[in-house]
């Protein structure tokens, strides 16, 4: 393995461990809040805190990463991931969960340097492929975390999942110290406001960012938060909550690998995004009609496929026409904008669940996915399949 291959492998491993730490406890956040007697609306605001801190931080982190070492932010983000889980473990109450989810959002803000540094290990015209691979690491970390959290929760109780996340975060921090980056801290000036606005006004970046707001709005209103409420309502056991998300991410991992290795060499990414929104709409439509855990497992497969076809591909498409030295800022803008969806999705779903019912919320998200599918077909530009 050459130096480039080793660099890819190390950052890929850190990414897996980082997202393991970020997600091992997530199947148990809403169920634990239910036990505490928290309303769906309050659950929504706690869930939205994760997106709010990202909305605030991701542009500053992206701009800073372009002129300073991205490794610093990767290390800091990994440490915050461990601290977020530790906060919720030690302060196991709604306030502790609110602070912990907000701190988890601080950690997730480092995803800008993760994704930009990993893309630097590939040729410029392979941006979509590199983003697909780094999202594969993301999904692997999540899937492993859900499987292990299910095992630990079934034996030691739901709080064991929070401990597992904390340990994972501190391991990710240790591994991140070995991440390689050629760039040293730069003396060049940060992008001016005018330059930043020029990057932000790039047509492709605007369209992909807007569509990804919708992806994240649906994602964080459904399988990241309130799908768990439905799972609890139909009698899902603690271990099964973790396995339910294994059912979502295992197909997503397989699909991500196939996208990178085969599918993107032959198919237009635009058509795949349109298909992804269609599958997402079908997922939202079916969730609350399930009455057994096994039915919900099957529907979760659709959620994983839809999310992979939309989020991974839109992320890669967002920086296709951005100069390499401005990709950190562009990715910061992209991820900060899509954090709007992460922030608004849970409160909207919580409000609809309290004022009407959970099914009404899922029907609303079905409509968002269908409108996004139509917008993708209308406004995205076709991309030629890339070569190896």
């Amino acid at each position: 393995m050459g130096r480039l291959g080793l660099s890819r492998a190390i950052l890929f491993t850190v990414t897996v461990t980082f997202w393991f730490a970020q997600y091992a406890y997530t199947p148990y956040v809403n169920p634990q809040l239910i036990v505490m007697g928290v309303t769906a609306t309050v659950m929504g605001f706690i869930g939205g805190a994760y997106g709010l801190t990202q909305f605030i931080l991701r542009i500053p982190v992206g701009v800073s990463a372009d002129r300073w070492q991205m490794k610093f932010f990767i290390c800091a983000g990994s440490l915050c991931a461990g601290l977020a889980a530790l906060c919720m473990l030690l302060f196991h109450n709604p306030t502790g969960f609110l602070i912990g989810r907000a701190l988890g959002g601080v950690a997730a803000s480092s995803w800008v340097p993760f994704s930009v540094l990993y893309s630097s290990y590939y040729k410029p015209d392979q941006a979509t492929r590199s983003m697909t691979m780094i999202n594969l690491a993301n999904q692997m970390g999540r899937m492993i975390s859900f499987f292990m959290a299910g095992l630990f929760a079934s034996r030691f109780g739901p709080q064991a999942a929070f401990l597992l996340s904390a340990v994972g975060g501190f391991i990710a921090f240790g591994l991140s110290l070995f991440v390689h980056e050629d760039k040293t801290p730069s003396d060049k000036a940060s992008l001016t406001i005018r330059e930043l606005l020029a990057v932000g006004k790039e047509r492709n970046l605007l369209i992909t960012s807007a569509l990804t707001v919708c992806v994240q709005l649906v994602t964080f209103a459904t399988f990241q938060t309130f799908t768990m409420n439905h799972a609890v309502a139909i009698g899902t056991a603690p271990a099964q909550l973790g396995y339910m998300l294994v059912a979502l991410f295992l197909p997503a991992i397989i699909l991500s690998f196939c996208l990178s290795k085969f599918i993107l060499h032959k198919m237009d990414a635009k058509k795949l995004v349109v298909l992804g929104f269609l599958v997402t709409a079908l997922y939202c439509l079916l969730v609350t009609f399930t009455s057994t855990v096994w039915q919900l497992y099957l529907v979760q497969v659709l959620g994983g496929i839809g999310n992979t076809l939309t989020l991974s591909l839109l992320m890669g498409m967002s920086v296709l026409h951005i100069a390499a030295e401005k990709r950190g800022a562009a990715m910061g803008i992209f991820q900060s904008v899509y954090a709007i969806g992460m922030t608004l999705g849970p409160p909207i779903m919580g409000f609809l669940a309290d004022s009407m019912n959970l099914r009404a919320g899922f029907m609303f998200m079905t409509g968002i996915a269908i409108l996004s599918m139509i917008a993708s077909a209308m406004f995205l530009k076709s991309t030629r399949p890339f070569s190896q």
Side-chain angles (χ1 to χ4, degrees), residues 26 30 115 128 132 179 229 298-299:
T26 56
N30 273 23
S115 52
T128 303
T132 303
V179 167
N229 293 51
L298 292 175
V299 173

Side-chain angles (χ1 to χ4, degrees), residues 326-341:
K326 295 181 180 179
R327 282 191 173 179
M331 190 58 67
I333 293 169
F334 175 77
Q335 295 186 9
S336 182
V337 170
Y338 80 46
I340 295 171

Side-chain angles (χ1 to χ4, degrees), residues 103 140 181 188 193 210-212 217 267 281 289 292 320 355:
L103 189 56
M140 284 181 62
E181 182 179 6
K188 73 177 182 179
I193 297 297
L211 288 170
T212 312
L217 190 148
M267 292 190 66
F289 289 96
T292 69
L320 276 176
S355 60

Side-chain angles (χ1 to χ4, degrees), residues 152-228:
F152 274 70
S154 64
R155 185 165 184 178
F156 303 108
Q159 293 191 24
F162 294 85
L163 177 60
L164 198 63
S165 275
V167 172
F170 298 132
I171 291 174
F173 172 69
L175 292 173
S176 69
L177 299 175
F178 298 96
V179 167
H180 172 74
E181 182 179 6
D182 284 329
K183 186 175 69 174
T184 55
S186 173
D187 292 329
K188 73 177 182 179
S190 300
L191 290 180
T192 65
I193 297 297
R194 178 177 294 180
E195 290 172 327
L196 188 61
L197 288 173
V199 172
K201 287 193 287 187
E202 199 275 325
R203 180 187 182 276
N204 187 64
L205 180 61
L206 284 172
I207 293 171
T208 54
S209 296
L211 288 170
T212 312
V213 168
C214 299
V215 174
Q216 297 292 52
L217 190 148
V218 173
T219 295
F220 278 80
T222 58
F223 62 77
Q224 292 287 6
T225 53
F226 283 92
T227 296
M228 298 304 162

Side-chain angles (χ1 to χ4, degrees), residues 234 286-287 289-301:
I234 63 174
L286 294 177
V287 168
F289 289 96
T290 60
S291 57
T292 69
V293 174
W294 288 103
Q295 289 174 355
L296 192 51
Y297 283 167
L298 292 175
V299 173
Q300 287 288 90
V301 172

Side-chain angles (χ1 to χ4, degrees), residues 19 39 88 111 120 135 213 295 301 311 364 380-381:
W19 287 109
T39 66
M88 286 180 279
W111 185 229
S120 73
N135 274 290
V213 168
Q295 289 174 355
V301 172
L311 181 59
F364 180 83
L380 281 179
K381 288 186 177 180

